[in-house]
Amino acid sequence: MKRFKRGKGPVRKSEREAIPRRFRLRFLLQEIDLPVGEITIGRSPSCTVTFEDPLVSRHHGRIAVSILNAEYEDLGSRNGTVINGTDVYGKYTLSDQDRIRIGTQELVFLDVTNRPVTRGRTTGYLRICPECRMVFPEGSTRCPHCGTEFNSERKCANCGHSAGVMDNVCSVCGYPIAPEDSTIPAEMGGRTSGWEFQLVSEVFQKAFAAGRYERAGKILEDMMRDFDERDRGQDEKDRHSLRRISRCGFEMAQKTGDIKWLRWGIDRHRNLEIILHTSLVDLIEPFDSSGSMEFRGMIKKYLDTMEETLNPETVRNDDRIRRLKAMLEKENT
C-alpha cells in the first residue's frame, strides 16, 4: 500500500449547515482520514489509495465522501468488490465497521464522528517479515509474530549515513541505496510480492479446476503483466514466482490447446537465461503441437539461447535440455 493522497471535490451548498460526520478507513494496522471529496482505490499510482495486488484493477473503486455520508462505487473492476460478504455492483452507502474486500485486500470503513479527535499517524509504511510473511509497522527490529530480528534502519554502504524508506541515493555522498527487501510498498523498490503471486495462483487453480477457463485466463494475464512490470527474475524468490506463473500457463495450454500460454513462460526463461524446471518440461512434452511451426520455432529459439549462454558441458548433460531437443527431433520425423 502506498501513500495516501488527499481527496478532492467540492462541498455542496446544501451540506454547509449540516452536522459534519467524520470517516476513516482502516487497512491492517493503518487508519487514514477520509476528507470530503472523492477517494479512488486501485493499482494505478494515480489513485488516492494504491495497492500492489494483481487482483486489484488499476481503477478498482471509489468512495464519495460528503459531510453526511460516504458512498462506495465499484468502477467496473475485473474481480469485483465484496462488502460484508456480498458482491456489490454500482453504488453502496457505507456504514460503520463495513468490511470492503478488494482483491486480496480488506479495508474497514469507520464512522468516527462521536470519537475523540486524535492526531494519529495517517500515512506510513509497513514491513513484511522475510520468515513468517506477516505484516507489521515499519520501525521495529523484531517481528512481533515469529521473533525474527533484523536491522530496521537503512544505511548507506559507502558512508554509513542513515537513509529513509524512499531514498534511492545517499543524501550525504550520493551513493546508491540498496532496495529494502521487506518494506511495503514493493513499487518503491522492495521485492515483497512473491507471496502475492502465490495467493493469486491459488485463485487461478480454483477457477481452472472448476472449468472457468475464461476467468482463469484473465487472472493469468494479470499475473504475467505484473511480473513483467516489476522487471523480475533476478533473485531466487522471483524465479519461484516465474516458475509458478509458467506452470499455470502450461496447464492452460494443455487444456485449451492455445500456444500463447506456453509462449510467455518459455520466452521469459529464455530472456533470463534460465533452464526450464523439470516440472515445466513435463507439462510441455505431452502438448499437442499438431506440427505447429510456431511451437517448434519457440522451442528451437529457447534451445539456441541456452547453447549460446550456458556452459557447453551443462547443455550436453542436462536432462531437461536433452528432452526438449528430443521433442524437436520427433517433430522432424
Side-chain angles (χ1 to χ4, degrees), residues 112 196 251 279 305:
V112 295
E196 291 181 358
E251 290 174 351
S279 63
T305 300

Side-chain angles (χ1 to χ4, degrees), residues 194-212:
W195 62 279
E196 291 181 358
F197 285 113
Q198 178 179 349
L199 289 174
V200 179
S201 65
E202 291 172 1
V203 176
F204 164 85
Q205 291 294 346
K206 290 181 180 179
F208 183 80
R212 299 171 61 190

Side-chain angles (χ1 to χ4, degrees), residues 58-121:
R58 294 185 180 278
H59 297 89
H60 199 105
R62 64 182 168 211
I63 301 176
V65 182
S66 72
I67 63 172
L68 299 178
N69 60 23
E71 191 174 64
Y72 179 87
E73 180 181 6
D74 187 273
L75 299 177
S77 63
R78 174 174 292 181
N79 296 304
T81 302
V82 177
I83 298 181
N84 300 329
T86 303
D87 292 332
V88 171
Y89 304 95
K91 298 181 178 180
Y92 181 96
T93 301
L94 295 167
S95 301
D96 187 36
Q97 298 298 325
D98 276 347
R99 308 184 81 85
I100 307 169
R101 188 78 174 180
I102 298 174
T104 60
Q105 317 298 325
E106 185 172 83
L107 305 167
V108 180
F109 175 80
L110 304 172
D111 185 340
V112 295
T113 304
N114 298 319
R115 300 182 192 177
V117 177
T118 59
R119 299 188 64 84
R121 186 180 183 186

Side-chain angles (χ1 to χ4, degrees), residues 105-221:
Q105 317 298 325
E106 185 172 83
L107 305 167
V108 180
F109 175 80
L110 304 172
D111 185 340
V112 295
T113 304
N114 298 319
R115 300 182 192 177
V117 177
T118 59
R119 299 188 64 84
R121 186 180 183 186
T122 59
T123 185
Y125 290 83
L126 304 176
R127 298 181 71 94
I128 182 167
C129 176
E131 296 297 327
C132 70
R133 313 308 291 170
M134 295 297 289
V135 178
F136 58 95
E138 183 211 5
S140 174
T141 59
R142 179 191 295 269
C143 172
H145 305 283
C146 70
T148 298
E149 294 186 358
F150 49 86
N151 184 10
S152 65
E153 185 179 18
R154 300 177 71 207
K155 290 187 176 181
C156 173
N158 184 47
C159 69
H161 183 75
S162 297
V165 174
M166 294 181 63
D167 290 344
N168 295 318
V169 296
C170 177
S171 59
V172 175
C173 68
Y175 195 79
I177 301 295
E180 171 57 68
D181 286 347
S182 60
T183 302
I184 297 176
E187 66 181 7
M188 292 298 183
R191 297 176 180 266
T192 60
S193 52
W195 62 279
E196 291 181 358
F197 285 113
Q198 178 179 349
L199 289 174
V200 179
S201 65
E202 291 172 1
V203 176
F204 164 85
Q205 291 294 346
K206 290 181 180 179
F208 183 80
R212 299 171 61 190
Y213 302 126
E214 182 178 357
R215 162 78 167 163
K218 291 179 179 178
I219 295 173
L220 186 53
E221 287 174 346

Side-chain angles (χ1 to χ4, degrees), residues 2-64:
K2 76 172 290 187
R3 286 189 172 187
F4 303 103
K5 304 172 187 175
R6 192 174 179 180
K8 56 184 177 180
V11 178
R12 291 191 291 268
K13 184 177 180 180
S14 60
E15 299 174 346
R16 291 178 183 170
E17 297 181 359
I19 299 175
R21 305 193 68 79
R22 294 189 299 112
F23 305 112
R24 305 195 91 193
L25 200 61
R26 178 191 299 154
F27 172 68
L28 297 176
L29 302 176
Q30 291 180 302
E31 285 188 13
I32 62 166
D33 292 314
L34 297 179
V36 171
E38 183 179 281
I39 309 296
T40 54
I41 305 172
R43 245 178 41 235
S44 170
S46 64
C47 290
T48 316
V49 179
T50 304
F51 287 108
E52 277 285 309
D53 185 338
L55 290 183
V56 175
S57 297
R58 294 185 180 278
H59 297 89
H60 199 105
R62 64 182 168 211
I63 301 176

Side-chain angles (χ1 to χ4, degrees), residues 307-320:
E307 291 180 347
E308 292 173 1
T309 58
L310 300 180
N311 184 290
E313 185 176 353
T314 300
V315 174
R316 285 195 304 270
N317 298 328
D318 192 278
D319 182 62
R320 295 163 293 179

